[in-house]
Amino acid sequence: MADKLCTPSKSTITYREAGVDIEAGDELVERIKPFAKMTRTAEVLADVGGFAGLCALPSGVADPVLVSGTDGVGTKLKVAFLTGVHNTIGFDLVGMCVNDILTTGARPLFFLDYFATSKLDVAVGERVIQGIAEACRESGCALLGGETAEVPGMYAEGEYDLAGFAVGVVARSKIVDGSRVAPGDQVLGLRSSGLHSNGYSLARRVVLEAMKLDLFARPSKLEGKTVAEALMAPTRLYARQVQAVIEAGIDVRAMSHITGGGLPGNLPRTLPDGLGVRLSAPWNLPGIVRLIAECVEVTELRRVFNLGVGFVFVVPKSDVARTTAALRAVGEEPMILGEVVRVPADTDFEARVIFP
């Protein structure tokens, strides 16, 4: 007789006893369907709940090229766990992915999320995904689907992880790739809301451990905000602004999303060899950056944080006025950060951004 694999004395073991609650997962899916529906665009062909999302290419895009990006939100999640603020972390996730694909001139089409936790808290999951949906709607893309994974033992109690995946489309002839950037071109920046989703391992080390600040403290540099509010300020979304500039017919030669690595680590990614950016007069730094600067050397500060600049356009000098007007029409007040200059061919990558 074959050996028995399991010989329970009174009852069999259930999936719930093993740590996975199928009913909770089903409930979350039902709760998030209205959020996904509010992001639906004309190209979406199926509702959330199937094995795969379906999205058609928009009409009127000549020789369409798909553009994709993926990212997470790093250890900013640790601050979300400490504060209990879960409704804005989705903005960070969408921003980290969508803002990246915008740099090619692409229009965002759809977004997918991956939410993983050891034990699913339906209320927390709902708040997270509601934030994702709201950010998708603001960016003009559909929340096409995603995955909620309950993985017992993988994360600490009350914690979860997030990843996102964005897809956009751009006409091949309108791809922005930085290849036409030339000396004398002007560099315009859009403000960030703070740290966005980068540098949080250093930020937490400085603010919460070295300075030992309470999350509800209000240091003078934060100008009335609590530490929690400054750290949890959601990542800004730049889809409307990029669309406004492109629709204005401006000769956008390069765009850059300022994420991990700051200005020195991101601006050179948009530039041909032999070119750099000479930054002009300093701009006002966000309060949270000025607070962290009390314990961090300036070079380290520049190569970790965005310094208050979330997105950059490079345009010919003749297009600065039109670019500024297009951005002001959607509520932005761009900063002129500097201009493109020649640098020696052997200049180190980060040294191609020259600070005043």
Side-chain angles (χ1 to χ4, degrees), residues 78-93:
K78 289 288 189 181
V79 186
F81 305 149
L82 289 171
T83 60
V85 176
H86 304 287
N87 62 317
T88 59
I89 202 77
F91 279 77
D92 297 293
L93 185 64

PDB file of all heavy atoms in Angstrom, residues 78-93:
ATOM      1  N   LYS A  78       8.812  52.016   4.333  1.00  0.00           N
ATOM      2  CA  LYS A  78       9.049  51.948   5.771  1.00  0.00           C
ATOM      3  C   LYS A  78       8.389  53.119   6.493  1.00  0.00           C
ATOM      4  O   LYS A  78       7.877  52.982   7.603  1.00  0.00           O
ATOM      5  CB  LYS A  78      10.549  51.935   6.060  1.00  0.00           C
ATOM      6  CG  LYS A  78      11.263  50.647   5.691  1.00  0.00           C
ATOM      7  CD  LYS A  78      10.905  49.531   6.660  1.00  0.00           C
ATOM      8  CE  LYS A  78      11.775  48.307   6.443  1.00  0.00           C
ATOM      9  NZ  LYS A  78      11.417  47.200   7.379  1.00  0.00           N
ATOM     10  N   VAL A  79       8.413  54.288   5.851  1.00  0.00           N
ATOM     11  CA  VAL A  79       7.769  55.462   6.447  1.00  0.00           C
ATOM     12  C   VAL A  79       6.251  55.306   6.403  1.00  0.00           C
ATOM     13  O   VAL A  79       5.540  55.691   7.331  1.00  0.00           O
ATOM     14  CB  VAL A  79       8.211  56.757   5.737  1.00  0.00           C
ATOM     15  CG1 VAL A  79       7.645  57.978   6.454  1.00  0.00           C
ATOM     16  CG2 VAL A  79       9.733  56.841   5.674  1.00  0.00           C
ATOM     17  N   ALA A  80       5.741  54.719   5.324  1.00  0.00           N
ATOM     18  CA  ALA A  80       4.304  54.454   5.236  1.00  0.00           C
ATOM     19  C   ALA A  80       3.861  53.532   6.376  1.00  0.00           C
ATOM     20  O   ALA A  80       2.811  53.742   6.999  1.00  0.00           O
ATOM     21  CB  ALA A  80       3.956  53.838   3.885  1.00  0.00           C
ATOM     22  N   PHE A  81       4.672  52.512   6.670  1.00  0.00           N
ATOM     23  CA  PHE A  81       4.319  51.594   7.752  1.00  0.00           C
ATOM     24  C   PHE A  81       4.335  52.314   9.103  1.00  0.00           C
ATOM     25  O   PHE A  81       3.464  52.092   9.953  1.00  0.00           O
ATOM     26  CB  PHE A  81       5.289  50.411   7.798  1.00  0.00           C
ATOM     27  CG  PHE A  81       5.412  49.649   6.503  1.00  0.00           C
ATOM     28  CD1 PHE A  81       6.604  49.030   6.155  1.00  0.00           C
ATOM     29  CD2 PHE A  81       4.350  49.567   5.620  1.00  0.00           C
ATOM     30  CE1 PHE A  81       6.731  48.331   4.973  1.00  0.00           C
ATOM     31  CE2 PHE A  81       4.463  48.872   4.417  1.00  0.00           C
ATOM     32  CZ  PHE A  81       5.661  48.258   4.089  1.00  0.00           C
ATOM     33  N   LEU A  82       5.330  53.191   9.302  1.00  0.00           N
ATOM     34  CA  LEU A  82       5.442  53.903  10.573  1.00  0.00           C
ATOM     35  C   LEU A  82       4.302  54.902  10.777  1.00  0.00           C
ATOM     36  O   LEU A  82       3.814  55.088  11.889  1.00  0.00           O
ATOM     37  CB  LEU A  82       6.785  54.647  10.649  1.00  0.00           C
ATOM     38  CG  LEU A  82       8.041  53.800  10.814  1.00  0.00           C
ATOM     39  CD1 LEU A  82       9.291  54.672  10.653  1.00  0.00           C
ATOM     40  CD2 LEU A  82       8.045  53.107  12.174  1.00  0.00           C
ATOM     41  N   THR A  83       3.891  55.550   9.703  1.00  0.00           N
ATOM     42  CA  THR A  83       2.873  56.596   9.803  1.00  0.00           C
ATOM     43  C   THR A  83       1.452  56.084   9.625  1.00  0.00           C
ATOM     44  O   THR A  83       0.494  56.758  10.003  1.00  0.00           O
ATOM     45  CB  THR A  83       3.118  57.683   8.744  1.00  0.00           C
ATOM     46  OG1 THR A  83       3.062  57.077   7.439  1.00  0.00           O
ATOM     47  CG2 THR A  83       4.483  58.347   8.939  1.00  0.00           C
ATOM     48  N   GLY A  84       1.307  54.912   9.007  1.00  0.00           N
ATOM     49  CA  GLY A  84      -0.033  54.410   8.690  1.00  0.00           C
ATOM     50  C   GLY A  84      -0.658  55.124   7.506  1.00  0.00           C
ATOM     51  O   GLY A  84      -1.867  55.010   7.273  1.00  0.00           O
ATOM     52  N   VAL A  85       0.148  55.855   6.731  1.00  0.00           N
ATOM     53  CA  VAL A  85      -0.348  56.577   5.550  1.00  0.00           C
ATOM     54  C   VAL A  85      -0.157  55.677   4.336  1.00  0.00           C
ATOM     55  O   VAL A  85       0.973  55.467   3.877  1.00  0.00           O
ATOM     56  CB  VAL A  85       0.389  57.913   5.356  1.00  0.00           C
ATOM     57  CG1 VAL A  85      -0.083  58.603   4.070  1.00  0.00           C
ATOM     58  CG2 VAL A  85       0.162  58.816   6.560  1.00  0.00           C
ATOM     59  N   HIS A  86      -1.248  55.138   3.827  1.00  0.00           N
ATOM     60  CA  HIS A  86      -1.168  54.194   2.706  1.00  0.00           C
ATOM     61  C   HIS A  86      -1.876  54.704   1.449  1.00  0.00           C
ATOM     62  O   HIS A  86      -1.779  54.068   0.406  1.00  0.00           O
ATOM     63  CB  HIS A  86      -1.794  52.858   3.108  1.00  0.00           C
ATOM     64  CG  HIS A  86      -1.180  52.247   4.333  1.00  0.00           C
ATOM     65  ND1 HIS A  86       0.067  51.683   4.330  1.00  0.00           N
ATOM     66  CD2 HIS A  86      -1.651  52.141   5.610  1.00  0.00           C
ATOM     67  CE1 HIS A  86       0.358  51.231   5.545  1.00  0.00           C
ATOM     68  NE2 HIS A  86      -0.655  51.501   6.336  1.00  0.00           N
ATOM     69  N   ASN A  87      -2.581  55.823   1.546  1.00  0.00           N
ATOM     70  CA  ASN A  87      -3.397  56.258   0.418  1.00  0.00           C
ATOM     71  C   ASN A  87      -2.620  57.059  -0.627  1.00  0.00           C
ATOM     72  O   ASN A  87      -3.140  57.329  -1.712  1.00  0.00           O
ATOM     73  CB  ASN A  87      -4.589  57.091   0.914  1.00  0.00           C
ATOM     74  CG  ASN A  87      -4.158  58.349   1.634  1.00  0.00           C
ATOM     75  OD1 ASN A  87      -3.226  58.322   2.431  1.00  0.00           O
ATOM     76  ND2 ASN A  87      -4.840  59.450   1.386  1.00  0.00           N
ATOM     77  N   THR A  88      -1.367  57.450  -0.318  1.00  0.00           N
ATOM     78  CA  THR A  88      -0.599  58.226  -1.303  1.00  0.00           C
ATOM     79  C   THR A  88       0.605  57.472  -1.854  1.00  0.00           C
ATOM     80  O   THR A  88       1.234  57.943  -2.805  1.00  0.00           O
ATOM     81  CB  THR A  88      -0.100  59.553  -0.697  1.00  0.00           C
ATOM     82  OG1 THR A  88       0.727  59.266   0.443  1.00  0.00           O
ATOM     83  CG2 THR A  88      -1.269  60.437  -0.285  1.00  0.00           C
ATOM     84  N   ILE A  89       0.928  56.336  -1.292  1.00  0.00           N
ATOM     85  CA  ILE A  89       2.101  55.601  -1.764  1.00  0.00           C
ATOM     86  C   ILE A  89       1.901  55.140  -3.212  1.00  0.00           C
ATOM     87  O   ILE A  89       2.855  54.952  -3.955  1.00  0.00           O
ATOM     88  CB  ILE A  89       2.411  54.408  -0.825  1.00  0.00           C
ATOM     89  CG1 ILE A  89       3.874  53.981  -0.952  1.00  0.00           C
ATOM     90  CG2 ILE A  89       1.462  53.239  -1.045  1.00  0.00           C
ATOM     91  CD1 ILE A  89       4.839  54.884  -0.240  1.00  0.00           C
ATOM     92  N   GLY A  90       0.630  55.001  -3.623  1.00  0.00           N
ATOM     93  CA  GLY A  90       0.333  54.665  -5.012  1.00  0.00           C
ATOM     94  C   GLY A  90       0.736  55.766  -5.975  1.00  0.00           C
ATOM     95  O   GLY A  90       1.109  55.490  -7.133  1.00  0.00           O
ATOM     96  N   PHE A  91       0.664  57.033  -5.531  1.00  0.00           N
ATOM     97  CA  PHE A  91       1.132  58.131  -6.374  1.00  0.00           C
ATOM     98  C   PHE A  91       2.629  57.984  -6.630  1.00  0.00           C
ATOM     99  O   PHE A  91       3.121  58.245  -7.735  1.00  0.00           O
ATOM    100  CB  PHE A  91       0.840  59.478  -5.720  1.00  0.00           C
ATOM    101  CG  PHE A  91      -0.569  59.955  -5.909  1.00  0.00           C
ATOM    102  CD1 PHE A  91      -1.607  59.427  -5.161  1.00  0.00           C
ATOM    103  CD2 PHE A  91      -0.865  60.921  -6.856  1.00  0.00           C
ATOM    104  CE1 PHE A  91      -2.910  59.852  -5.345  1.00  0.00           C
ATOM    105  CE2 PHE A  91      -2.165  61.365  -7.052  1.00  0.00           C
ATOM    106  CZ  PHE A  91      -3.195  60.818  -6.295  1.00  0.00           C
ATOM    107  N   ASP A  92       3.354  57.584  -5.588  1.00  0.00           N
ATOM    108  CA  ASP A  92       4.788  57.368  -5.751  1.00  0.00           C
ATOM    109  C   ASP A  92       5.058  56.272  -6.767  1.00  0.00           C
ATOM    110  O   ASP A  92       5.925  56.408  -7.628  1.00  0.00           O
ATOM    111  CB  ASP A  92       5.405  56.982  -4.398  1.00  0.00           C
ATOM    112  CG  ASP A  92       5.279  58.089  -3.372  1.00  0.00           C
ATOM    113  OD1 ASP A  92       5.917  59.138  -3.570  1.00  0.00           O
ATOM    114  OD2 ASP A  92       4.546  57.926  -2.388  1.00  0.00           O
ATOM    115  N   LEU A  93       4.319  55.187  -6.662  1.00  0.00           N
ATOM    116  CA  LEU A  93       4.541  54.057  -7.563  1.00  0.00           C
ATOM    117  C   LEU A  93       4.269  54.442  -9.011  1.00  0.00           C
ATOM    118  O   LEU A  93       5.081  54.168  -9.907  1.00  0.00           O
ATOM    119  CB  LEU A  93       3.651  52.881  -7.152  1.00  0.00           C
ATOM    120  CG  LEU A  93       3.865  51.589  -7.940  1.00  0.00           C
ATOM    121  CD1 LEU A  93       5.272  51.041  -7.689  1.00  0.00           C
ATOM    122  CD2 LEU A  93       2.814  50.549  -7.572  1.00  0.00           C
TER     123      LEU A  93
END
